[in-house]
Amino acid sequence: MTNKVLYFGYGANRDARMIAAILGKPVEQLVGRPAVLQDYQLGVQGLNQIPDTVMPNAPEPISPRQILKNVWGDGFESYVIEYRPGSKVSGTIWELTPEERERVRDWELLDYGWYEDCEGKAITEDGSEIDVITEKTRNDQVLDREVDGMNYETWLADPEKFEEIAERVRQEYNARLVESELNRPKIN
């Protein structure tokens, strides 16, 4: 794959089923390998720790907290990471196209202000150190609790619900792409 993005998926995003659902492609077409992200702490955020501010450049005028509450309800929880030297998080390095990375960014509500992009180093099973990108909490956010990043359950909710919601979010993302293309000024 040319122009590939090495994305580190943690939590549900370390699972091929989740990435396949986000991207809308068969699991068999995914390229990923287990790895450990260095210098990040895994935690969990509940709905009340997720930003309730509408970002000026958000795709729609709604906060990440409201989006998640509308979809998941008041009991929503999610894995998040924050920078912490010496900590480690197990996950998967996925080889994505830049367009696929944008789909993951949309799923993770980066443009809505929940997370921010970050870079890191991940160690593969054969000891290779790989530069990766992923998403982390913004510096002003807090965690509900810390989790052992090397030994945690992949799913905080029913995997089938994740897949169902990912399908809907992907369709909404595609509709926004079509709409933005239709509204783009034509150059003669």
Side-chain angles (χ1 to χ4, degrees), residues 9-20:
Y10 58 90
N13 287 2
R14 71 180 176 170
D15 191 286
R17 283 175 58 189
M18 186 74 255
I19 294 298

Side-chain angles (χ1 to χ4, degrees), residues 99-165:
E99 294 80 15
E100 290 170 338
R101 172 61 181 141
E102 286 305 310
R103 288 186 182 278
V104 174
R105 287 182 86 258
D106 185 68
W107 170 256
E108 297 296 344
L109 303 175
L110 270 86
D111 292 338
Y112 288 92
W114 183 10
Y115 291 112
E116 61 186 13
D117 291 307
C118 68
E119 298 176 353
K121 302 242 183 242
I123 309 295
T124 61
E125 291 177 325
D126 68 2
S128 299
E129 185 176 272
I130 309 287
D131 291 325
V132 295
I133 61 167
T134 192
E135 55 277 333
K136 70 173 194 68
T137 58
R138 294 177 179 274
N139 292 336
D140 60 346
Q141 293 182 35
V142 296
L143 304 181
D144 179 62
R145 63 190 180 275
E146 292 183 359
V147 176
D148 178 352
M150 296 302 293
N151 183 25
Y152 64 96
E153 295 292 323
T154 298
W155 304 93
L156 286 174
D158 177 16
E160 290 177 3
K161 184 169 183 180
F162 270 101
E163 291 172 312
E164 170 194 317
I165 293 169

Side-chain angles (χ1 to χ4, degrees), residues 47-137:
L47 191 64
N48 63 337
Q49 283 109 21
I50 295 167
D52 199 22
T53 305
V54 177
M55 297 298 281
N57 296 328
E60 299 171 89
I62 188 170
S63 75
R65 182 184 302 173
Q66 191 61 52
I67 291 170
L68 294 167
K69 182 177 181 171
N70 292 348
V71 173
W72 294 93
D74 290 326
F76 177 78
E77 289 188 316
S78 179
Y79 287 118
V80 296
I81 60 170
E82 60 183 12
Y83 181 71
R84 177 139 348 124
S87 294
K88 298 177 182 182
V89 179
S90 67
T92 304
I93 299 173
W94 299 107
E95 293 182 12
L96 306 179
T97 66
E99 294 80 15
E100 290 170 338
R101 172 61 181 141
E102 286 305 310
R103 288 186 182 278
V104 174
R105 287 182 86 258
D106 185 68
W107 170 256
E108 297 296 344
L109 303 175
L110 270 86
D111 292 338
Y112 288 92
W114 183 10
Y115 291 112
E116 61 186 13
D117 291 307
C118 68
E119 298 176 353
K121 302 242 183 242
I123 309 295
T124 61
E125 291 177 325
D126 68 2
S128 299
E129 185 176 272
I130 309 287
D131 291 325
V132 295
I133 61 167
T134 192
E135 55 277 333
K136 70 173 194 68
T137 58

